[in-house]
Amino acid sequence: MATNLAIDDTLILQAKKLGHHKTKKAAVTQALQQYIKYMKQLQIVKLFGKIEIASDYDYKQQRKIT
């Protein structure tokens, strides 16, 4: 899908340089992938303390399953 965006050229150049990207597309693609990963991590962090674990749950037993 072709998309035209007005992105600050200074930001793109910095991203290309820091990420050693050859193209603007590569820099933007990686930035979006990192952003999505970060946002998913935030969603998981919000779940801490909200999920109850069964008192008889043995996490060590799960490690033995192959």
Side-chain angles (χ1 to χ4, degrees):
M1 166 177 41
T3 304
N4 293 325
L5 299 173
I7 301 174
D8 185 349
D9 285 332
T10 306
L11 294 174
I12 292 289
L13 291 174
Q14 285 181 345
K16 282 178 59 179
K17 184 177 179 181
L18 290 171
H20 305 287
H21 301 290
K22 293 181 180 179
T23 65
K24 292 179 182 180
K25 179 180 177 180
V28 171
T29 299
Q30 182 174 4
L32 286 171
Q33 289 171 340
Q34 292 293 90
Y35 175 76
I36 291 167
K37 183 178 178 180
Y38 174 73
M39 295 305 290
K40 286 181 178 182
Q41 288 173 347
L42 284 181
Q43 289 176 342
I44 292 170
V45 168
K46 288 179 183 178
L47 292 175
F48 285 135
K50 293 184 180 180
I51 299 174
E52 288 188 39
I53 299 175
S55 59
D56 62 341
Y57 176 70
D58 183 7
Y59 69 92
K60 290 182 181 180
Q61 179 64 32
Q62 292 296 316
R63 292 179 184 170
K64 295 177 184 176
I65 297 174
T66 57

